[in-house]
Amino acid sequence: MPLTNAQVTAHAFLAALYGDDCFPVSAVDRRRAVLLTLCGRLETDRPADLAGPYTLTHAATEEISGLQAEFEAAGSEIETVARDELGGEFLFIARAYGFGDADTEELIAPRDW
């Protein structure tokens, strides 16, 4: 199912990571795919309150945490730039779907990056 949120479809997810040779494109692509899947779930499930997005973002955060080995195998890691970029993308997604009062730290609370 294609995404319908105009803000999301026009957004260049993880642009800072794609523009940095420290991050393998294939690894960034996988993280972008997780974010787009999250957007699809928000469109499909349409949470009624803030608890819903937190549940969905926690699952996506844990999935991204499980991909760390891919960065490490390429001699890279999720460091400050990547952490900030990922956290910012989660906040962008929450706001794009009407959850402007979401807390960035809570959106990515279970992270291991």
Side-chain angles (χ1 to χ4, degrees):
M1 174 178 183
L3 299 174
T4 60
N5 183 301
Q7 290 177 43
V8 170
T9 58
H11 185 69
F13 284 97
L14 303 175
L17 302 187
Y18 280 113
D20 190 329
D21 292 337
C22 293
F23 305 107
V25 171
S26 63
V28 178
D29 284 345
R30 290 188 45 151
R31 282 150 185 83
R32 181 178 176 274
V34 170
L35 294 172
L36 292 173
T37 298
L38 169 61
C39 292
R41 289 181 180 144
L42 285 164
E43 288 189 13
T44 301
D45 297 343
R46 304 242 189 243
D49 59 25
L50 199 49
Y54 286 148
T55 298
L56 295 173
T57 61
H58 289 180
T61 299
E62 290 170 352
E63 188 174 350
I64 288 173
S65 291
L67 299 173
Q68 285 190 81
E70 189 176 6
F71 265 13
E72 292 167 1
S76 188
E77 63 181 292
I78 297 181
E79 40 72 70
T80 304
V81 170
R83 280 191 297 273
D84 289 349
E85 184 78 354
L86 284 163
E89 297 295 21
F90 276 92
L91 184 58
F92 166 79
I93 291 168
R95 289 179 175 165
Y97 287 100
F99 298 99
D101 54 347
D103 178 72
T104 305
E105 290 301 315
E106 181 57 31
L107 288 168
I108 57 176
R111 75 187 177 283
D112 187 21
W113 31 271

